[in-house]
Amino acid sequence: MTRTSRAVVLEEFGKPLQLRRYDVPTPQEMAALVRVEYAGVCGTDLHLQSGHLPIPVPVGLGHEAVGRVDTLGPGLTHDVLGNELAPGDWVSWLNNIACGRCRFCLVEQQPTLCTGSRRIYGINQSADQWPHLSGGWADYIYLQPGTVLVKLPEAATPQQVIALGCAGPTAVHGVLNEVRVRSGDTVVVQGSGPVGLAAAMYAQLSGAKKVIIVGGPATRLELAKRLGVGHVHIDVFQVADADERTEIVHGETDGAGADVVVECAGVPSAVAEAIDYARPDGAIAVIGQYTDHGPTPINPHLITRKNLNISGSWGFGARHYLGYIASLPQLVANFDIGQMVSEYALEEANSALADVKSGAVVKAVLRVGDE
Ligand SMILES: [Zn+2]
Ligand SMILES: [Zn+2]
């Protein structure tokens, strides 16, 4: 008897998501069928639903998920790190497969900048085309050959793995690969959403002596304090004046400015403020400007005058994703990240999306299986 799977599908931009049913495919060579247990809701999903990004519809959503191996296709016996795989194993996967042929894949080794046909689960794989189940908001997901598949470390629960979702590997890319926080650094993180909190966690794990979070609303900063994320918390709604915030940051850094500033706010003006926060010869990572909100005035003289090192960081690739998975035991030993999560049933995908939009929850997770 053919098994079927539910899948949450975006059929039309700006319209509520629909629950559809598809036949569960049998994996071809080197592919895998995974029973999804938890799937994250990300800010990107809001942009997808609103039609801000050029994607095919209908599309099965869900680009962050964890689950258990259901069936392995012929030839697929180990995960990307060489661990043996068997049905029932807890796994996760990089949500995209770069083309492997363009300049950025082959020469620059920057697959997040792939200019070829990058396939992204839950984003650009049409639900109308086989294998149909290419999103994580479903009972099953079909992982194509070439997917970076990884067995989960036992030290972290699947709920903890999904708690940060995309934010974890995004922060690994920005904080560990682009700016490299060093022991004893003073770090400012702008933004207190999942990316900001993850960035602050990695700064602390890297040995930063003081992490200052500039964010809001107050409920998010309270959560950060409960989790032990950040040493100083500046509420942008309470301290509404940017100059005043800069004064506080300079006061907290003995008048010198921060060694590293990580922008995760997504507000263009935050970049100008980051330039003010940084000390001479300091570093700034701009990782929050994921969607284009237009230009903003900055004073470029300060970049020269302070000899600043400013880097961008776009999404994440296999290296950052595996870095995130590898850091999980240390991450969960230091921060109770499960507290960030609010769970919803698969049928409640529309409410989960609405709650992410309103900011009512920090991290919405669809609990798909009954594990
Ligand atoms: Zn995402
Ligand atoms: Zn490419």
Side-chain angles (χ1 to χ4, degrees), residues 90-219:
W90 281 98
V91 289
S92 189
W93 51 93
L94 177 65
N95 62 19
N96 62 85
I97 307 175
C99 81
R101 286 188 290 271
C102 73
R103 171 184 166 188
F104 291 99
C105 283
L106 281 179
V107 184
E108 312 296 346
Q109 310 283 309
Q110 296 276 15
T112 65
L113 301 176
C114 174
T115 51
S117 52
R118 194 158 72 117
R119 287 166 284 170
I120 314 174
Y121 292 114
I123 294 185
N124 71 4
Q125 303 295 289
S126 165
D128 277 348
Q129 282 166 23
W130 193 90
H132 309 292
L133 296 167
S134 295
W137 297 2
D139 294 310
Y140 292 91
I141 183 167
Y142 186 92
L143 300 179
Q144 301 172 29
T147 302
V148 174
L149 181 64
V150 63
K151 208 162 152 171
L152 296 183
E154 277 170 17
T157 65
Q159 293 95 321
Q160 290 171 323
V161 180
I162 203 69
L164 292 181
C166 289
T170 299
V172 166
H173 185 188
V175 176
L176 304 184
N177 292 82
E178 294 295 342
V179 284
R180 294 204 181 100
V181 171
R182 284 170 302 189
S183 180
D185 276 354
T186 301
V187 179
V188 176
V189 173
Q190 299 170 288
S192 51
V195 178
L197 294 181
M201 289 179 211
Y202 281 107
Q204 281 172 243
L205 292 182
S206 302
K209 80 170 173 227
K210 190 186 271 186
V211 173
I212 303 165
I213 299 181
V214 183
T219 47

Side-chain angles (χ1 to χ4, degrees), residues 3-5 22-28 30-36 67-74 76 85-89 91 93 121 130-135 138-145 147 149:
R3 291 187 290 175
T4 62
S5 166
Y22 297 95
D23 287 349
V24 172
T26 303
Q28 72 206 113
M30 295 306 283
L33 183 70
V34 171
R35 175 83 171 91
V36 177
R68 285 183 292 178
V69 173
D70 181 87
T71 318
L72 296 167
L76 186 61
L85 285 175
D89 284 347
V91 289
W93 51 93
Y121 292 114
W130 193 90
H132 309 292
L133 296 167
S134 295
D139 294 310
Y140 292 91
I141 183 167
Y142 186 92
L143 300 179
Q144 301 172 29
T147 302
L149 181 64

Side-chain angles (χ1 to χ4, degrees), residues 245-316:
R245 292 195 288 264
T246 301
E247 227 168 88
I248 298 174
V249 167
H250 282 253
E252 290 288 343
T253 53
D254 303 323
D259 298 300
V260 175
V261 183
V262 187
E263 181 283 314
C264 309
V267 182
S269 60
V271 178
E273 217 167 309
I275 292 171
D276 288 334
Y277 292 163
R279 71 159 164 82
D281 204 34
I284 298 174
V286 180
I287 72 179
Q289 307 290 324
Y290 207 77
T291 42
D292 187 346
H293 291 295
T296 188
I298 60 163
N299 185 350
H301 167 68
L302 292 174
I303 301 174
T304 308
R305 178 69 190 82
K306 289 178 153 187
N307 208 102
L308 293 179
N309 310 287
I310 303 182
S311 35
S313 172
W314 178 245
F316 55 88

Side-chain angles (χ1 to χ4, degrees), residues 42-45 63-64 95 123 165-167 316 363:
C42 168
T44 303
D45 293 309
H63 59 273
E64 314 172 338
N95 62 19
I123 294 185
C166 289
F316 55 88
K363 183 68 191 176

